[in-house]
mmCIF file of all heavy atoms in Angstrom:
data_model
loop_
_atom_site.group_PDB
_atom_site.id
_atom_site.type_symbol
_atom_site.label_atom_id
_atom_site.label_comp_id
_atom_site.label_asym_id
_atom_site.label_seq_id
_atom_site.Cartn_x
_atom_site.Cartn_y
_atom_site.Cartn_z
ATOM 1 N N LEU A 1 3.121 -12.883 -32.552
ATOM 2 C CA LEU A 1 2.525 -12.267 -31.271
ATOM 3 C C LEU A 1 3.512 -11.180 -30.789
ATOM 4 O O LEU A 1 3.053 -10.212 -30.322
ATOM 5 C CB LEU A 1 2.328 -13.402 -30.170
ATOM 6 C CG LEU A 1 1.184 -14.360 -30.538
ATOM 7 C CD1 LEU A 1 1.215 -15.499 -29.543
ATOM 8 C CD2 LEU A 1 -0.051 -13.717 -30.595
ATOM 9 N N THR A 2 4.853 -11.447 -30.840
ATOM 10 C CA THR A 2 5.725 -10.439 -30.318
ATOM 11 C C THR A 2 5.751 -9.129 -31.134
ATOM 12 O O THR A 2 6.215 -8.191 -30.682
ATOM 13 C CB THR A 2 7.225 -11.027 -30.145
ATOM 14 O OG1 THR A 2 7.683 -11.489 -31.380
ATOM 15 C CG2 THR A 2 7.176 -12.061 -29.078
ATOM 16 N N LEU A 3 5.317 -9.289 -32.442
ATOM 17 C CA LEU A 3 5.408 -8.137 -33.306
ATOM 18 C C LEU A 3 4.059 -7.345 -33.243
ATOM 19 O O LEU A 3 3.912 -6.227 -33.766
ATOM 20 C CB LEU A 3 5.579 -8.551 -34.765
ATOM 21 C CG LEU A 3 7.002 -9.185 -35.010
ATOM 22 C CD1 LEU A 3 7.057 -9.681 -36.478
ATOM 23 C CD2 LEU A 3 8.106 -8.248 -34.726
ATOM 24 N N LEU A 4 3.094 -7.865 -32.491
ATOM 25 C CA LEU A 4 1.850 -7.123 -32.330
ATOM 26 C C LEU A 4 1.988 -5.863 -31.434
ATOM 27 O O LEU A 4 2.890 -5.876 -30.531
ATOM 28 C CB LEU A 4 0.708 -8.040 -31.664
ATOM 29 C CG LEU A 4 0.188 -9.148 -32.502
ATOM 30 C CD1 LEU A 4 -0.675 -10.069 -31.654
ATOM 31 C CD2 LEU A 4 -0.498 -8.690 -33.758
ATOM 32 N N PRO A 5 1.357 -4.780 -31.713
ATOM 33 C CA PRO A 5 1.529 -3.528 -30.999
ATOM 34 C C PRO A 5 0.991 -3.672 -29.587
ATOM 35 O O PRO A 5 1.394 -3.008 -28.676
ATOM 36 C CB PRO A 5 0.680 -2.507 -31.822
ATOM 37 C CG PRO A 5 -0.293 -3.313 -32.627
ATOM 38 C CD PRO A 5 0.308 -4.615 -32.914
ATOM 39 N N GLN A 6 -0.099 -4.532 -29.373
ATOM 40 C CA GLN A 6 -0.583 -4.620 -27.981
ATOM 41 C C GLN A 6 0.152 -5.661 -27.216
ATOM 42 O O GLN A 6 0.686 -6.611 -27.675
ATOM 43 C CB GLN A 6 -2.153 -4.966 -28.047
ATOM 44 C CG GLN A 6 -2.464 -6.349 -28.550
ATOM 45 C CD GLN A 6 -2.765 -6.383 -30.050
ATOM 46 O OE1 GLN A 6 -2.324 -5.647 -30.834
ATOM 47 N NE2 GLN A 6 -3.619 -7.387 -30.451
ATOM 48 N N ASP A 7 0.171 -5.485 -25.892
ATOM 49 C CA ASP A 7 0.838 -6.468 -25.032
ATOM 50 C C ASP A 7 -0.067 -7.554 -24.532
ATOM 51 O O ASP A 7 0.322 -8.595 -23.998
ATOM 52 C CB ASP A 7 1.334 -5.754 -23.704
ATOM 53 C CG ASP A 7 2.479 -4.684 -23.986
ATOM 54 O OD1 ASP A 7 3.086 -4.932 -24.966
ATOM 55 O OD2 ASP A 7 2.585 -3.830 -23.234
ATOM 56 N N GLU A 8 -1.388 -7.405 -24.831
ATOM 57 C CA GLU A 8 -2.301 -8.462 -24.383
ATOM 58 C C GLU A 8 -3.101 -8.925 -25.538
ATOM 59 O O GLU A 8 -3.608 -8.103 -26.373
ATOM 60 C CB GLU A 8 -3.268 -7.852 -23.351
ATOM 61 C CG GLU A 8 -4.201 -8.846 -22.694
ATOM 62 C CD GLU A 8 -4.946 -8.190 -21.526
ATOM 63 O OE1 GLU A 8 -4.503 -8.183 -20.441
ATOM 64 O OE2 GLU A 8 -6.065 -7.725 -21.831
ATOM 65 N N VAL A 9 -3.233 -10.237 -25.806
ATOM 66 C CA VAL A 9 -4.014 -10.858 -26.819
ATOM 67 C C VAL A 9 -5.018 -11.786 -26.316
ATOM 68 O O VAL A 9 -4.691 -12.585 -25.364
ATOM 69 C CB VAL A 9 -3.138 -11.479 -27.932
ATOM 70 C CG1 VAL A 9 -2.234 -10.553 -28.530
ATOM 71 C CG2 VAL A 9 -2.308 -12.680 -27.367
ATOM 72 N N PRO A 10 -6.183 -11.853 -26.974
ATOM 73 C CA PRO A 10 -7.148 -12.888 -26.504
ATOM 74 C C PRO A 10 -6.660 -14.259 -26.958
ATOM 75 O O PRO A 10 -6.081 -14.468 -27.999
ATOM 76 C CB PRO A 10 -8.470 -12.438 -27.195
ATOM 77 C CG PRO A 10 -8.038 -11.470 -28.325
ATOM 78 C CD PRO A 10 -6.802 -10.904 -27.972
ATOM 79 N N SER A 11 -6.999 -15.227 -26.106
ATOM 80 C CA SER A 11 -6.663 -16.590 -26.504
ATOM 81 C C SER A 11 -7.294 -17.067 -27.844
ATOM 82 O O SER A 11 -6.718 -17.886 -28.562
ATOM 83 C CB SER A 11 -7.030 -17.602 -25.439
ATOM 84 O OG SER A 11 -8.414 -17.584 -25.183
ATOM 85 N N SER A 12 -8.396 -16.439 -28.190
ATOM 86 C CA SER A 12 -9.082 -16.808 -29.451
ATOM 87 C C SER A 12 -8.271 -16.403 -30.589
ATOM 88 O O SER A 12 -8.239 -17.093 -31.653
ATOM 89 C CB SER A 12 -10.381 -16.065 -29.520
ATOM 90 O OG SER A 12 -10.242 -14.640 -29.429
ATOM 91 N N MET A 13 -7.428 -15.342 -30.520
ATOM 92 C CA MET A 13 -6.589 -14.978 -31.612
ATOM 93 C C MET A 13 -5.483 -15.963 -31.818
ATOM 94 O O MET A 13 -5.176 -16.369 -32.986
ATOM 95 C CB MET A 13 -5.925 -13.588 -31.347
ATOM 96 C CG MET A 13 -4.929 -13.029 -32.465
ATOM 97 S SD MET A 13 -4.029 -11.598 -32.029
ATOM 98 C CE MET A 13 -5.367 -10.299 -32.210
ATOM 99 N N ILE A 14 -4.911 -16.499 -30.771
ATOM 100 C CA ILE A 14 -3.928 -17.469 -30.870
ATOM 101 C C ILE A 14 -4.431 -18.827 -31.443
ATOM 102 O O ILE A 14 -3.912 -19.434 -32.295
ATOM 103 C CB ILE A 14 -3.241 -17.687 -29.457
ATOM 104 C CG1 ILE A 14 -2.587 -16.471 -28.956
ATOM 105 C CG2 ILE A 14 -2.252 -18.937 -29.567
ATOM 106 C CD1 ILE A 14 -2.074 -16.578 -27.580
ATOM 107 N N GLY A 15 -5.653 -19.183 -30.956
ATOM 108 C CA GLY A 15 -6.286 -20.336 -31.442
ATOM 109 C C GLY A 15 -6.599 -20.307 -32.961
ATOM 110 O O GLY A 15 -6.390 -21.312 -33.646
ATOM 111 N N GLU A 16 -7.028 -19.184 -33.426
ATOM 112 C CA GLU A 16 -7.239 -19.007 -34.804
ATOM 113 C C GLU A 16 -5.889 -19.046 -35.648
ATOM 114 O O GLU A 16 -5.896 -19.633 -36.719
ATOM 115 C CB GLU A 16 -8.023 -17.672 -35.126
ATOM 116 C CG GLU A 16 -9.343 -17.526 -34.630
ATOM 117 C CD GLU A 16 -10.346 -18.546 -35.244
ATOM 118 O OE1 GLU A 16 -10.145 -18.904 -36.444
ATOM 119 O OE2 GLU A 16 -11.262 -18.984 -34.569
ATOM 120 N N MET A 17 -4.841 -18.523 -35.084
ATOM 121 C CA MET A 17 -3.599 -18.577 -35.777
ATOM 122 C C MET A 17 -3.206 -20.077 -35.880
ATOM 123 O O MET A 17 -2.645 -20.493 -36.958
ATOM 124 C CB MET A 17 -2.472 -17.889 -34.963
ATOM 125 C CG MET A 17 -2.524 -16.411 -35.016
ATOM 126 S SD MET A 17 -1.187 -15.692 -34.018
ATOM 127 C CE MET A 17 -1.362 -13.969 -34.341
ATOM 128 N N VAL A 18 -3.299 -20.799 -34.782
ATOM 129 C CA VAL A 18 -3.039 -22.246 -34.806
ATOM 130 C C VAL A 18 -3.836 -23.060 -35.803
ATOM 131 O O VAL A 18 -3.317 -23.808 -36.661
ATOM 132 C CB VAL A 18 -3.173 -22.829 -33.366
ATOM 133 C CG1 VAL A 18 -2.991 -24.362 -33.520
ATOM 134 C CG2 VAL A 18 -2.217 -22.299 -32.422
ATOM 135 N N MET A 19 -5.163 -22.801 -35.824
ATOM 136 C CA MET A 19 -6.067 -23.467 -36.740
ATOM 137 C C MET A 19 -5.689 -23.106 -38.219
ATOM 138 O O MET A 19 -5.724 -23.949 -39.064
ATOM 139 C CB MET A 19 -7.470 -23.219 -36.480
ATOM 140 C CG MET A 19 -7.882 -23.914 -35.129
ATOM 141 S SD MET A 19 -9.753 -23.959 -34.897
ATOM 142 C CE MET A 19 -10.094 -22.320 -34.984
ATOM 143 N N ASP A 20 -5.330 -21.933 -38.545
ATOM 144 C CA ASP A 20 -5.015 -21.423 -39.848
ATOM 145 C C ASP A 20 -3.739 -22.248 -40.322
ATOM 146 O O ASP A 20 -3.756 -22.688 -41.444
ATOM 147 C CB ASP A 20 -4.772 -19.985 -39.867
ATOM 148 C CG ASP A 20 -6.023 -19.128 -39.903
ATOM 149 O OD1 ASP A 20 -7.127 -19.689 -40.046
ATOM 150 O OD2 ASP A 20 -6.017 -17.922 -39.646
ATOM 151 N N SER A 21 -2.783 -22.375 -39.402
ATOM 152 C CA SER A 21 -1.610 -23.046 -39.777
ATOM 153 C C SER A 21 -1.879 -24.566 -39.882
ATOM 154 O O SER A 21 -1.307 -25.179 -40.843
ATOM 155 C CB SER A 21 -0.486 -22.841 -38.694
ATOM 156 O OG SER A 21 -0.180 -21.487 -38.675
ATOM 157 N N LEU A 22 -2.516 -25.209 -38.994
ATOM 158 C CA LEU A 22 -2.816 -26.584 -39.022
ATOM 159 C C LEU A 22 -3.643 -26.974 -40.287
ATOM 160 O O LEU A 22 -3.465 -28.065 -40.878
ATOM 161 C CB LEU A 22 -3.521 -27.102 -37.801
ATOM 162 C CG LEU A 22 -2.623 -27.188 -36.505
ATOM 163 C CD1 LEU A 22 -3.487 -27.637 -35.323
ATOM 164 C CD2 LEU A 22 -1.522 -28.228 -36.767
ATOM 165 N N ARG A 23 -4.517 -26.098 -40.661
ATOM 166 C CA ARG A 23 -5.380 -26.293 -41.862
ATOM 167 C C ARG A 23 -4.482 -26.615 -43.025
ATOM 168 O O ARG A 23 -4.730 -27.384 -43.918
ATOM 169 C CB ARG A 23 -6.327 -25.146 -42.075
ATOM 170 C CG ARG A 23 -7.304 -25.395 -43.288
ATOM 171 C CD ARG A 23 -8.219 -24.218 -43.531
ATOM 172 N NE ARG A 23 -9.214 -24.099 -42.521
ATOM 173 C CZ ARG A 23 -9.374 -22.997 -41.791
ATOM 174 N NH1 ARG A 23 -8.557 -22.024 -41.972
ATOM 175 N NH2 ARG A 23 -10.307 -22.996 -40.810
ATOM 176 N N GLU A 24 -3.380 -25.816 -43.113
ATOM 177 C CA GLU A 24 -2.498 -25.869 -44.285
ATOM 178 C C GLU A 24 -1.526 -27.151 -44.079
ATOM 179 O O GLU A 24 -1.012 -27.728 -45.082
ATOM 180 C CB GLU A 24 -1.580 -24.722 -44.314
ATOM 181 C CG GLU A 24 -2.327 -23.352 -44.548
ATOM 182 C CD GLU A 24 -3.046 -23.367 -45.821
ATOM 183 O OE1 GLU A 24 -2.451 -23.791 -46.876
ATOM 184 O OE2 GLU A 24 -4.212 -22.816 -45.859
ATOM 185 N N ILE A 25 -1.165 -27.628 -42.855
ATOM 186 C CA ILE A 25 -0.319 -28.719 -42.642
ATOM 187 C C ILE A 25 -0.951 -30.082 -42.668
ATOM 188 O O ILE A 25 -0.497 -30.994 -43.415
ATOM 189 C CB ILE A 25 0.465 -28.483 -41.366
ATOM 190 C CG1 ILE A 25 1.247 -27.207 -41.342
ATOM 191 C CG2 ILE A 25 1.337 -29.698 -40.988
ATOM 192 C CD1 ILE A 25 1.813 -26.793 -39.999
ATOM 193 N N ASP A 26 -2.060 -30.289 -41.969
ATOM 194 C CA ASP A 26 -2.662 -31.531 -41.756
ATOM 195 C C ASP A 26 -4.141 -31.390 -41.383
ATOM 196 O O ASP A 26 -4.361 -30.810 -40.312
ATOM 197 C CB ASP A 26 -1.911 -32.305 -40.783
ATOM 198 C CG ASP A 26 -2.455 -33.797 -40.637
ATOM 199 O OD1 ASP A 26 -3.477 -34.039 -40.016
ATOM 200 O OD2 ASP A 26 -1.755 -34.639 -41.202
ATOM 201 N N GLN A 27 -5.055 -31.784 -42.253
ATOM 202 C CA GLN A 27 -6.457 -31.601 -41.854
ATOM 203 C C GLN A 27 -7.011 -32.350 -40.643
ATOM 204 O O GLN A 27 -7.835 -31.892 -39.935
ATOM 205 C CB GLN A 27 -7.366 -31.876 -43.141
ATOM 206 C CG GLN A 27 -7.134 -30.955 -44.229
ATOM 207 C CD GLN A 27 -7.977 -31.222 -45.459
ATOM 208 O OE1 GLN A 27 -8.590 -32.307 -45.584
ATOM 209 N NE2 GLN A 27 -8.056 -30.255 -46.325
ATOM 210 N N VAL A 28 -6.455 -33.571 -40.447
ATOM 211 C CA VAL A 28 -6.871 -34.336 -39.297
ATOM 212 C C VAL A 28 -6.408 -33.617 -37.966
ATOM 213 O O VAL A 28 -7.162 -33.436 -37.018
ATOM 214 C CB VAL A 28 -6.313 -35.721 -39.313
ATOM 215 C CG1 VAL A 28 -6.606 -36.491 -37.964
ATOM 216 C CG2 VAL A 28 -6.898 -36.504 -40.444
ATOM 217 N N ALA A 29 -5.175 -33.122 -37.946
ATOM 218 C CA ALA A 29 -4.664 -32.272 -36.749
ATOM 219 C C ALA A 29 -5.634 -31.052 -36.611
ATOM 220 O O ALA A 29 -5.836 -30.628 -35.480
ATOM 221 C CB ALA A 29 -3.239 -32.009 -37.004
ATOM 222 N N TYR A 30 -5.900 -30.458 -37.765
ATOM 223 C CA TYR A 30 -6.755 -29.217 -37.723
ATOM 224 C C TYR A 30 -8.038 -29.491 -37.003
ATOM 225 O O TYR A 30 -8.456 -28.796 -36.135
ATOM 226 C CB TYR A 30 -7.027 -28.639 -39.089
ATOM 227 C CG TYR A 30 -8.104 -27.728 -39.224
ATOM 228 C CD1 TYR A 30 -7.954 -26.429 -38.733
ATOM 229 C CD2 TYR A 30 -9.380 -28.092 -39.658
ATOM 230 C CE1 TYR A 30 -9.014 -25.472 -38.844
ATOM 231 C CE2 TYR A 30 -10.394 -27.235 -39.705
ATOM 232 C CZ TYR A 30 -10.271 -25.957 -39.275
ATOM 233 O OH TYR A 30 -11.312 -25.101 -39.269
ATOM 234 N N VAL A 31 -8.725 -30.617 -37.399
ATOM 235 C CA VAL A 31 -10.088 -30.920 -36.899
ATOM 236 C C VAL A 31 -9.961 -31.306 -35.390
ATOM 237 O O VAL A 31 -10.724 -30.910 -34.562
ATOM 238 C CB VAL A 31 -10.652 -32.075 -37.652
ATOM 239 C CG1 VAL A 31 -11.940 -32.616 -36.971
ATOM 240 C CG2 VAL A 31 -11.002 -31.612 -39.050
ATOM 241 N N ARG A 32 -8.820 -31.999 -35.043
ATOM 242 C CA ARG A 32 -8.648 -32.348 -33.595
ATOM 243 C C ARG A 32 -8.481 -31.058 -32.826
ATOM 244 O O ARG A 32 -9.085 -30.887 -31.728
ATOM 245 C CB ARG A 32 -7.419 -33.151 -33.431
ATOM 246 C CG ARG A 32 -7.485 -34.605 -33.851
ATOM 247 C CD ARG A 32 -6.085 -35.320 -33.646
ATOM 248 N NE ARG A 32 -6.231 -36.666 -34.038
ATOM 249 C CZ ARG A 32 -5.071 -37.377 -34.192
ATOM 250 N NH1 ARG A 32 -3.926 -36.974 -33.978
ATOM 251 N NH2 ARG A 32 -5.203 -38.738 -34.547
#
C-alpha cells in the first residue's frame, strides 16, 4: 500500500489483497 502511487485506496483493494494472501495460507481463514 505504501508503494502505490495514489494516496487513497478503496477498501475493496485491501480486502482482495487479504483474501489472496489467506487463500495461500489457510482455506478456512480465507472463507471466514
Side-chain angles (χ1 to χ4, degrees):
L1 291 173
T2 57
L3 295 175
L4 290 174
Q6 69 266 29
D7 292 338
E8 186 173 273
V9 295
S11 60
S12 59
M13 179 186 286
I14 298 170
E16 292 297 329
M17 287 179 177
V18 171
M19 287 194 305
D20 288 345
S21 297
L22 285 177
R23 184 182 287 121
E24 301 295 321
I25 295 169
D26 186 280
Q27 291 183 344
V28 173
Y30 163 78
V31 171
R32 285 178 179 168

